[in-house]
Amino acid sequence: MFGLAQPPLFTRLQGAGRILIAGAGGGFDIYAGLPLALTLRNQGVYLGAFSIPGDSPEAAMYLDAVAHAQAATPRRPGIVNGQIAAAIRGEVGNVHATARTGDSELFVNPLSWRAGQ
C-alpha cells in the first residue's frame, strides 16, 4: 500500500537488493536521481557506479552516437552528452562541447576521465 509517506515507486521497489538509477540530462540527476538514490541508500539498497572506459568499444559507439545526434540537431546540440563525450575523450577543465553553454564556466572533472582509463 502506498500513500504520502510511501510513494508508489518505493512500494514497487520494496525487497529489491540492487537498483540501477540512470539519467540522461534534463536535470534528472538533481531533481529525481539524487533524492531517489539517497532515499534508497538510507533503506540499505546497494548503489553502484557506472563508467565507460575511454578505450572500450562501448566508448567508441557512444562517441559515434553523440556525434550523430549533435549533427542531426545542429540548432540544439545536447549539452550533457557532449560533456560526457568530452570526458571520455580525456578533455578536462572548462570544456565547452557546444556553443550553447556560451560563456558559462564548466568543469569536466579529471577524475571522471582517469577512472575510465
Side-chain angles (χ1 to χ4, degrees):
M1 191 67 169
F2 62 87
L4 287 177
Q6 179 76 22
L9 176 64
F10 293 111
T11 301
R12 296 281 309 260
L13 294 176
Q14 264 181 334
R18 295 178 182 203
I19 299 168
L20 172 64
I21 301 170
F28 172 85
D29 52 348
I30 297 299
Y31 296 107
L34 189 57
L36 180 57
L38 293 173
T39 300
L40 292 170
R41 184 191 67 191
N42 291 339
Q43 293 178 359
V45 175
Y46 171 80
L47 297 175
F50 173 75
S51 67
I52 304 173
D55 59 354
S56 68
E58 292 80 9
M61 288 186 286
Y62 181 81
L63 293 174
D64 287 346
V66 171
H68 176 78
Q70 303 287 45
T73 57
R75 297 179 72 195
R76 302 260 319 146
I79 295 170
V80 174
N81 286 309
Q83 294 301 111
I84 293 169
I88 290 172
R89 288 190 300 268
E91 300 170 22
V92 299
N94 189 20
V95 176
H96 291 264
T98 172
R100 285 183 61 201
T101 54
D103 293 329
S104 60
E105 187 173 338
L106 303 175
F107 181 68
V108 175
N109 190 325
L111 294 176
S112 64
W113 174 69
R114 294 285 179 210
Q117 298 302 306

